[in-house]
Amino acid sequence: MSLDEIRKRFPGSAAAGLRPMKVRGDHDLNPGFEPSQGKLREAAVLVPLVDRPEELTVIFTQRTANLTAHAGQISFPGGRMESDDRDPEDTALRETEEEIGLARDRIEVLGRLDTYVTRTGFRVIPVVGLVRPPFQMTPDPTEVAEVFEVPLAAILDPTNPQRHSREFQGAQRYFYAFPYQQRFIWGATAGMLVNLCDVLRAEGLGGDCLGSDRLGDAPAGSTP
């Protein structure tokens, strides 16, 4: 899949019509699990696609174990919108620079994925960006335990995403997951990856990102 083809998948591309935007979230697999719309806090993340000579990859971070929210989980760089941020793109680029030291002048913003609403009360705008090597990264040790890359082809593998479940607050909750080697990408990050699959597979890649019907358990200590 060429970079030109990827660019055409996103709203704002000169060659693409505006695709319908949706509000996704934990409630996609758990109807009735929506948070109150009036209490949502605005946030944005960067979905960084790296233009490596051998293949496209996706950058992820693993959060440190001492954070109060989502400790140890795999995520995209990002965070809350600040009052002086111009727009979600500005938030995503600023947070990426602060969290992993990736300079914004190495990133070409391609477009947005659907808004993602989390159970923890955030309305997140995922911003897709193309990262041009060479670049340096300096992770903030207070927030980021590790930065790593996963081939985009692994994300688009037809066996992904898997659907897992665990008991939470007395009910069975379902969620998407993307296993890769010893990694387990799940939660909101996996939900955004499902959306990325939908967009990139929309033309010529075999339809929607339906994933497998395999059900399993969440990692120990995790929360849907």
Side-chain angles (χ1 to χ4, degrees):
M1 188 175 196
S2 72
L3 291 179
D4 284 343
E5 290 173 322
I6 289 177
R7 287 189 179 96
K8 291 176 183 178
R9 301 295 195 270
F10 294 95
S13 169
L18 292 177
R19 64 182 179 83
M21 303 297 282
K22 303 193 315 186
V23 176
R24 303 191 183 218
D26 303 341
H27 57 275
D28 286 349
L29 295 180
N30 302 280
F33 206 46
E34 300 89 343
S36 171
Q37 293 294 314
K39 297 181 180 179
L40 296 178
R41 292 161 286 180
E42 303 297 329
V45 300
L46 184 73
V47 182
L49 307 181
V50 185
D51 183 18
R52 298 289 184 191
E54 59 277 11
E55 63 181 340
L56 284 161
T57 64
V58 185
I59 295 176
F60 296 93
T61 69
Q62 181 149 11
R63 295 166 63 84
T64 55
N66 61 340
L67 294 175
T68 56
H70 308 293
Q73 289 188 17
I74 293 171
S75 63
F76 294 120
R80 299 186 189 190
M81 292 188 69
E82 302 291 348
S83 58
D84 53 352
D85 289 339
R86 295 186 302 274
D87 49 33
E89 286 74 15
D90 195 33
T91 301
L93 294 174
R94 174 184 55 76
E95 285 281 346
T96 297
E97 212 159 10
E98 292 175 359
E99 285 187 17
I100 63 175
L102 177 57
R104 64 174 64 204
D105 62 5
R106 304 307 302 166
I107 303 169
E108 174 194 346
V109 172
L110 300 180
R112 299 180 184 180
L113 297 175
D114 294 338
T115 299
Y116 195 94
V117 176
T118 71
R119 181 191 58 81
T120 51
F122 285 93
R123 181 188 290 108
V124 185
I125 303 294
V127 177
V128 180
L130 179 65
V131 184
R132 296 281 190 179
F135 57 86
Q136 291 184 330
M137 292 189 289
T138 308
D140 179 350
T142 64
E143 293 189 52
V144 179
E146 187 180 0
V147 181
F148 63 95
E149 297 178 33
V150 174
L152 179 60
I155 301 299
L156 294 175
D157 186 309
T159 64
N160 278 325
Q162 297 177 0
R163 279 169 279 194
H164 290 244
S165 70
R166 69 163 294 165
E167 187 174 324
F168 178 66
Q169 295 181 347
Q172 200 73 6
R173 304 299 184 187
Y174 298 91
F175 57 93
Y176 290 114
F178 287 76
Y180 177 71
Q181 296 181 353
Q182 289 77 43
R183 313 280 187 182
F184 192 80
I185 305 168
W186 70 294
T189 304
M192 295 174 200
L193 287 176
V194 169
N195 189 187
L196 181 67
C197 286
D198 287 344
V199 172
L200 296 186
R201 291 179 180 177
E203 299 174 19
L205 286 177
D208 288 345
C209 187
L210 299 177
S212 73
D213 289 327
R214 175 186 161 191
L215 291 176
D217 293 328
S222 57
T223 302

